[in-house]
Amino acid sequence: MSIVVKSVCKALERIAPLRLAEPWDKVGLIIESPLPRADAKRVVLTIDLTTAVLEETLKVPTALVIAYHPPLFQPITSLTLANPLQASLLKLSAAGTSVFCPHTSLDATWGGINDWLAEGVIGPQKATAKVNILGEVKGEAGGAGRIVTLDEPIHIEELVQRVKKHLSLSQVDVGRPLSEKSIKSVAICAGAGGTMFSGVDADVYFTGEMQHHEVLGAVAKGRYVILCGHTNTERGYLPVLAKKLSDTLSDLAQDESPNGLSQEERTEIKKYQLDIHVSEADRHPLDHM
């Protein structure tokens, strides 16, 4: 494993420990290239490893792609160029690029995607709102979702504006109960939150997507639902992750503890000026027309 890939993987483990991932998830180093390039100084951050992201990545020598969603999720019996997702992995490996996926470990960790979404919900009430774990508590490191309790209730219109501003969206889908009410609590889950919200008592369910009957059931129970599009609840976190990764790599270069890098690796990583690049080709797969 190249020093760049090893260092970035170790940094990611500090940011979002893989033990926090859901049991069904496919996280960690998905593809390790056997042909690492000495001139590869770039690390690409993306939500999905699409064909457009692949083409963007291949233009610049890249050591590692950090793809939030695992490109390989279901068991496979072959790895061929006939499948576009598999072809992307094969082409990256041939170009000396490895692929790492954090997925639900990055949702669960403190300071991860769900906490970033909570910041948008809280808005100006940062000093007084409370954020607690929703779902399974995974030690002191975090948990699957979040539930925000606001100090002062707000109207749904205010919450929707906060969400749109935080996610840089012009519109979202909103489910409204028959009887309008003020909002004090918001359950949050990045991506798809239907299963996570089952049985959760909150005024609002805020996520990317839910199944049709999950929305109907929530609204019938008197809850609001805010759906923003699956990847729209995740993509805005990538610049935050880029900053965290840069800071953590700097810490690793100075860390002489047994859990850090070796002396040789610290010396080598200090020589690199890594380019941590948030993909410009990565985008939500659906357009409003």
Side-chain angles (χ1 to χ4, degrees):
M1 184 183 296
S2 74
I3 290 177
V4 171
V5 172
K6 181 177 181 180
S7 301
V8 174
C9 288
K10 190 173 284 288
L12 287 168
E13 178 64 20
R14 291 192 175 188
I15 295 169
L18 294 180
R19 69 179 185 277
L20 298 180
E22 294 299 305
W24 46 261
D25 208 357
K26 308 296 186 293
V27 295
L29 193 62
I30 302 297
I31 291 289
E32 180 183 353
S33 173
L35 305 168
R37 294 177 54 169
D39 62 341
K41 305 295 193 299
R42 173 169 280 196
V43 175
V44 172
L45 275 58
T46 184
I47 294 300
D48 291 306
L49 181 53
T50 60
T51 302
V53 172
L54 169 69
E55 293 176 354
E56 175 191 21
T57 300
L58 292 177
K59 292 178 181 178
V60 178
T62 299
L64 184 69
V65 171
I66 301 172
Y68 169 76
H69 287 137
L72 295 177
F73 205 85
Q74 300 299 330
I76 60 173
T77 57
S78 62
L79 195 61
T80 72
L81 296 174
N83 181 297
L85 291 178
Q86 295 175 10
S88 293
L89 293 173
L90 290 170
K91 291 175 181 179
L92 286 175
S93 182
T97 303
S98 299
V99 179
F100 184 100
C101 301
H103 203 203
T104 55
S105 65
L106 198 58
D107 296 343
T109 191
W110 290 116
I113 294 182
N114 282 319
D115 285 318
W116 172 74
L117 291 173
E119 291 176 5
V121 168
I122 292 168
Q125 294 189 14
K126 289 184 179 180
T128 55
K130 297 179 181 179
V131 180
N132 295 307
I133 291 175
L134 175 64
E136 181 186 357
V137 178
K138 302 186 178 182
E140 296 181 357
R146 298 292 184 268
I147 186 161
V148 173
T149 303
L150 301 170
D151 186 54
E152 295 293 336
I154 61 175
H155 294 294
I156 184 62
E157 288 77 12
E158 169 64 21
L159 179 60
V160 167
Q161 289 305 313
R162 290 183 186 182
V163 168
K164 288 163 63 175
K165 180 179 180 180
H166 192 63
L167 301 185
S168 299
L169 297 175
S170 60
Q171 61 187 55
V172 297
D173 293 325
V174 180
R176 295 174 178 268
L178 190 60
S179 300
E180 299 279 320
K181 63 180 180 180
S182 296
I183 293 162
K184 192 79 180 292
S185 58
V186 182
I188 298 171
C189 181
T195 302
M196 174 67 63
F197 295 151
S198 179
V200 173
D201 183 14
D203 297 326
V204 181
Y205 291 167
F206 167 33
T207 186
E209 61 180 333
M210 291 171 60
Q211 294 182 9
H212 177 71
H213 287 87
E214 291 172 339
V215 174
L216 291 179
V219 171
K221 292 179 180 178
R223 312 189 197 288
Y224 292 97
V225 175
I226 300 177
L227 304 181
C228 305
H230 190 115
T231 67
N232 288 332
T233 59
E234 302 157 343
R235 186 165 290 104
Y237 182 77
L238 292 181
V240 179
L241 178 59
K243 176 64 165 58
K244 285 178 175 286
L245 186 57
S246 178
D247 292 344
T248 306
L249 285 168
S250 295
D251 293 341
L252 274 173
Q254 307 299 325
D255 185 0
E256 299 181 7
S257 72
N259 294 326
L261 301 172
S262 68
Q263 176 62 52
E264 178 184 0
E265 291 166 341
R266 291 199 305 274
T267 301
E268 285 297 313
I269 199 65
K270 288 176 182 178
K271 296 178 182 178
Y272 287 89
Q273 295 295 321
L274 288 183
D275 171 21
I276 301 175
H277 173 74
V278 176
S279 172
E280 297 175 2
D282 179 49
R283 60 187 298 273
H284 191 63
L286 300 174
D287 290 323
H288 291 290
M289 298 185 67

